[in-house]
Amino acid sequence: AGAARTPIRPTRPTSLPVRLALPAPPLIISYFSPLNYQLFISFAKIFKTPYKKMNIAIGNDHAGVAYKQAIITALQAQGHQVLNCGTDTPESVDYPDFGHAVARAIEEGKAQVGIVICGSGNGIAMTVNKHPQMRCALCWTKEIAALARAHNDANVVSIPARFTAIEQAVAI
């Protein structure tokens, strides 16, 4: 019939190292990143869709007074309405009172989402999560907050004031 076929193998010089061509890592855009916000606004303008400002409830205990003020300032600068459910003094208070207030504001439709702040973030998050339909996530970076919103449909974020810088809290 015919001669046996031998496969053709590409040759390369043996003195050169083999380099694998890896694809570039994907561009990751945080849910709350300025780039994502700008993209959203651009699409809203293109499609003539108005950007909806949100009503946001915020609550804190004595550990989060400065954090709350910085976050409120940033949110109001973006045009959001902020419902202050927290304390404004550094005197010791019970965090559950303010966690329940934020959860009730969302349940009653006064706010779409909420932010709670206490020393560790854990206690106030547990308090909020006692309410039906509340999904409070303990977040100390904006990436964790974005994942909590995107993957867990969190509607409240809990920020640990004693373990997060104010700048980080504002970014969240």
Side-chain angles (χ1 to χ4, degrees):
R5 297 174 124 186
T6 58
I8 300 173
R9 294 188 183 143
T11 59
R12 67 175 196 277
T14 56
S15 61
L16 294 176
V18 176
R19 295 187 189 261
L20 298 174
L22 298 175
L27 175 65
I28 298 173
I29 300 175
S30 170
Y31 181 80
F32 297 103
S33 74
L35 179 58
N36 196 15
Y37 175 77
Q38 291 301 324
L39 288 172
F40 179 77
I41 296 300
S42 299
F43 284 121
K45 288 178 183 176
I46 291 169
F47 295 109
K48 306 287 190 246
T49 306
Y51 172 64
K52 183 180 178 195
K53 302 297 179 181
M54 298 180 75
N55 293 327
I56 302 167
I58 187 167
N60 62 289
D61 69 358
H62 53 278
V65 175
Y67 287 73
K68 179 185 68 176
Q69 293 304 326
I71 292 169
I72 287 175
T73 301
L75 291 173
Q76 288 176 337
Q78 295 174 5
H80 299 290
Q81 295 294 319
V82 181
L83 177 61
N84 184 354
C85 300
T87 185
D88 293 320
T89 64
E91 282 117 28
S92 184
V93 294
D94 294 330
Y95 65 81
D97 298 337
F98 306 105
H100 288 302
V102 169
R104 278 193 301 272
I106 296 170
E107 289 171 339
E108 295 169 1
K110 295 177 183 175
Q112 289 88 25
V113 294
I115 301 167
V116 291
I117 309 159
C118 78
S120 71
N122 280 314
I124 203 162
M126 290 180 200
T127 300
V128 171
N129 282 327
K130 289 181 180 183
H131 290 257
Q133 305 302 313
M134 293 299 113
R135 292 168 306 283
C136 183
L138 175 60
C139 301
W140 53 94
T141 67
K142 64 182 181 179
E143 292 81 12
I144 292 171
L147 289 171
R149 181 70 180 152
H151 295 282
N152 305 113
D153 196 25
N155 55 1
V156 180
V157 63
S158 178
I159 299 172
R162 292 191 180 115
F163 301 95
T164 307
I166 290 180
E167 296 79 19
Q168 269 184 302
V170 171
I172 293 172

